[in-house]
Amino acid sequence: MSKENITNHSKLSDEELVVLSLADRDSFRYLIERYEEKLRRYSMKLGIARIGETDDLLQNTFIKVYENLAGFNTDLSFSSWVYRIAHNEAMTMFRRRKVRPEGNLIQIEDSDLHKIASDIDVLKYATSKELENTTQKSLVELDQKYKEVIILFYFEHKSYDEISDILKLSPGTVATRIRRAKNKLKQIMVNQGYVYE
Amino acid sequence: MNKESNNTLSKSVMEKIETEQTKPRPRVYFTFKNILIWTTALVTVVLGSLIVSSIVFRLVNLDKVLPPRVYERAWQMTETLPFTLFVLFIIFGYLMYKQIRLTRSGYKYEMPVIFLSIGFVSLVFGILFYVVGVGYHVDRITAKGLPFHPGIEKLQSRQWTTSDEGVIVGEVVSIENENIFLRDRSGAIWNIPVEDLEDKEDVQTVRLFVGQRIGVVGVANTNDKTFKACDIRSLEFKKQGFQIEGERNFVEVRMYKCEGRTALQ
């Protein structure tokens, strides 16, 4: 692969790469490389903890993306579409193996932590470390349907419309679910004595 | 995750695609799938509308036109409601909802919006089908084939029960100068005199004919089997003039005042 080739591909938009991949299979590699890291993080946050399982999930996701490339709906962003497929694959994996998502602790960036902390009115005197621990533990206790909107909104920085496209929910339902998720999260934290009532 | 891992995954995915000779599905596959979803959605809308047209037909033709009886026996109204059709409509409504959700942007709409739209569209098309006479035909078919869904004639007979209550239902056996002869459900022949009628042509307004099913409201005299009628209503479902196909003739013949009609004389 020439350096010039890589540079050219990196300048292309997702949608352009989709068109290119349909004509030239090898170009699909660039889409994989563009999204692997994001989807790996996302799948781990969803509760797929083991490396091997994450790889399986990503492989299945990208093969499904490739198979359905011609059906990509240009009304959506490619990113939302790939996240949707990855999300569905993760849910299928949980169902097939009859296991609940593993309650692994999510690595939270400081900026995300402060955003979520201010949104649910966390005690101001708690240290960052305390906040991180509490938020991580509370997220583990959250129902999957609430956890996934919190992950997409706070940690993947997706808008309501993008979440709506990824989870195939109406934007109104997404807003309601995020509000309820925050309330539930706050309730869990209240029980642990970390937030104002 | 480092770049090496990235390359490993992309390499393994590309190898798998190559060894399994995975190819993107052709565009026509997605077009066909989309057409199938919309066709199914359309079919469910049509079926839902047909059910609504039948419901409208039945509600219009149920003879809830006898106020004293209706109020005395309000609970009886419930047995004439087409519950089976309501259940069917709910099933089709749910199928419509599922189909709409399957379309590309169907998930963007709130559930109540989808259900209200389904209800509105089915109602509009249902009334349209009813007006062109489809409701009548659907009612004929569903009355034969659906369980717990008695034919409208049976329901009418239940409502237009006995002469004791001032109501008879039966078949016109003959029309003579100033009398109509009617055979009721028990086989008894009733003489319905029309000599007191000021404008006898009114009888013609219901286009009475031999063999016609009619309901008559009035006062019965069991001694001479005469029935002093105040209302005569056709219970036939045949298209007449500009009527909707299958529509019962609502024109009433006002012969006498209906005072005292619920008691025997």
Side-chain angles (χ1 to χ4, degrees):
Chain A
M1 200 178 308
S2 71
K3 195 174 177 181
E4 188 191 349
N5 219 357
I6 294 169
T7 315
N8 285 343
H9 279 92
S10 66
K11 282 180 183 168
L12 294 176
S13 70
D14 290 345
E15 288 71 21
E16 285 169 328
L17 272 179
V18 167
V19 176
L20 210 58
S21 301
L22 282 167
D24 166 34
R25 188 175 58 197
D26 285 341
S27 300
F28 187 61
R29 178 190 311 276
Y30 300 99
L31 279 171
I32 300 174
E33 286 169 4
R34 198 172 278 185
Y35 278 94
E36 189 209 338
E37 193 51 40
K38 291 176 188 170
L39 293 184
R40 188 179 293 280
R41 275 203 314 265
Y42 177 56
S43 63
M44 290 178 80
K45 283 170 189 160
L46 279 178
I48 294 173
R50 284 184 227 121
I51 299 290
E53 287 186 332
T54 313
D55 282 344
D56 283 350
L57 175 91
L58 293 182
Q59 194 167 68
N60 292 344
T61 299
F62 284 118
I63 285 175
K64 207 154 248 181
V65 168
Y66 184 68
E67 281 176 339
N68 293 287
L69 220 47
F72 165 57
N73 176 6
T74 46
D75 294 342
L76 293 180
S77 72
F78 182 77
S79 166
S80 296
W81 187 58
V82 171
Y83 267 79
R84 180 194 287 178
I85 293 174
H87 181 269
N88 291 345
E89 276 300 304
M91 296 305 123
T92 308
M93 192 179 261
F94 293 141
R95 266 199 304 274
R96 199 179 294 146
R97 299 184 185 180
K98 292 179 181 166
V99 292
R100 287 171 60 81
E102 289 175 40
N104 58 319
L105 298 181
I106 297 169
Q107 293 303 308
I108 308 173
E109 310 250 332
D110 269 2
S111 56
D112 298 339
L113 190 65
H114 288 116
K115 173 92 172 71
I116 199 167
S118 85
D119 274 10
I120 59 170
D121 204 12
V122 179
L123 273 177
K124 290 177 179 63
Y125 56 77
T127 64
S128 282
K129 194 68 201 165
E130 277 176 328
L131 271 182
E132 188 178 354
N133 286 339
T134 311
T135 311
Q136 283 175 329
K137 284 175 191 164
S138 305
L139 278 170
V140 170
E141 288 182 37
L142 211 54
D143 286 349
Q144 184 66 16
K145 68 174 182 179
Y146 294 124
K147 196 163 109 177
E148 61 195 23
V149 288
I150 291 280
I151 289 169
L152 286 167
F153 186 66
Y154 285 105
F155 310 140
E156 299 296 321
H157 309 118
K158 301 290 182 192
S159 67
Y160 281 20
D161 281 339
E162 285 173 312
I163 298 173
S164 153
D165 291 333
I166 293 166
L167 300 180
K168 288 192 100 177
L169 297 171
S170 69
T173 306
V174 170
T176 308
R177 208 171 270 189
I178 289 176
R179 196 183 64 245
R180 285 185 186 156
K182 284 196 285 194
N183 288 340
K184 298 251 179 204
L185 197 59
K186 184 175 179 176
Q187 194 55 52
I188 294 167
M189 290 179 155
V190 165
N191 294 342
Q192 295 176 3
Y194 277 97
V195 289
Y196 291 120
E197 269 281 36
Chain B
M1 207 58 54
N2 55 34
K3 194 168 179 177
E4 192 185 330
S5 160
N6 277 351
N7 290 336
T8 310
L9 184 85
S10 63
K11 201 176 163 193
S12 72
V13 172
M14 294 311 289
E15 274 173 8
K16 196 169 180 194
I17 286 173
E18 199 168 331
T19 52
E20 292 181 6
Q21 293 191 321
T22 308
K23 288 195 171 89
R25 290 192 178 107
R27 203 174 293 277
V28 69
Y29 167 86
F30 298 99
T31 310
F32 181 72
K33 194 177 164 188
N34 213 28
I35 290 171
L36 194 70
I37 289 169
W38 278 107
T39 307
T40 316
L42 195 70
V43 168
T44 50
V45 167
V46 170
L47 287 174
S49 305
L50 288 175
I51 291 168
V52 170
S53 73
S54 177
I55 290 172
V56 174
F57 172 79
R58 184 158 282 217
L59 294 179
V60 168
N61 287 282
L62 266 179
D63 294 315
K64 290 299 167 198
V65 286
L66 307 170
R69 286 172 56 75
V70 170
Y71 296 126
E72 283 162 22
R73 300 177 173 200
W75 61 270
Q76 280 190 331
M77 284 187 75
T78 56
E79 74 170 2
T80 60
L81 292 174
F83 289 113
T84 312
L85 292 183
F86 286 141
V87 170
L88 266 183
F89 181 67
I90 289 167
I91 292 169
F92 277 108
Y94 180 71
L95 289 176
M96 276 185 240
Y97 168 73
K98 295 298 273 183
Q99 285 305 118
I100 289 167
R101 289 270 303 166
L102 279 178
T103 59
R104 279 185 166 185
S105 52
Y107 63 89
K108 287 182 188 279
Y109 303 100
E110 300 290 341
M111 193 168 70
V113 173
I114 297 179
F115 275 117
L116 281 176
S117 308
I118 287 168
F120 180 74
V121 170
S122 304
L123 194 65
V124 168
F125 279 97
I127 290 171
L128 197 71
F129 284 159
Y130 161 71
V131 169
V132 297
V134 175
Y136 161 71
H137 292 292
V138 177
D139 190 75
R140 303 290 83 194
I141 294 164
T142 53
K144 281 179 195 162
L146 280 184
F148 312 111
H149 188 64
I152 203 162
E153 291 90 344
K154 200 171 174 183
L155 294 172
Q156 284 172 335
S157 295
R158 275 188 210 161
Q159 281 187 278
W160 297 65
T161 46
T162 61
S163 58
D164 296 11
E165 294 174 331
V167 194
I168 52 171
V169 64
E171 191 182 304
V172 176
V173 286
S174 68
I175 304 170
E176 292 168 16
N177 292 335
E178 302 207 313
N179 301 78
I180 297 165
F181 292 92
L182 178 84
R183 184 188 293 115
D184 72 10
R185 284 192 300 159
S186 68
I189 304 289
W190 290 86
N191 176 9
I192 304 168
V194 293
E195 76 262 12
D196 291 344
L197 204 61
E198 283 180 15
D199 184 1
K200 294 186 183 64
E201 283 182 13
D202 276 2
V203 174
Q204 296 305 312
T205 62
V206 289
R207 296 180 183 85
L208 290 178
F209 54 85
V210 173
Q212 187 177 17
R213 286 178 67 245
I214 58 170
V216 186
V217 184
V219 184
N221 185 331
T222 48
N223 295 328
D224 60 2
K225 285 281 178 190
T226 55
F227 198 90
K228 204 172 173 184
C230 53
D231 285 355
I232 297 177
R233 294 153 194 246
S234 170
L235 300 180
E236 288 292 330
F237 299 114
K238 285 176 184 160
K239 190 173 181 178
Q240 297 178 338
F242 289 104
Q243 277 184 289
I244 290 167
E245 189 172 0
E247 193 66 71
R248 189 176 62 74
N249 194 339
F250 263 96
V251 179
E252 298 174 15
V253 180
R254 305 299 299 183
M255 293 167 71
Y256 307 97
K257 286 186 178 175
C258 276
E259 290 151 359
R261 68 172 177 76
T262 54
L264 278 170
Q265 278 189 343

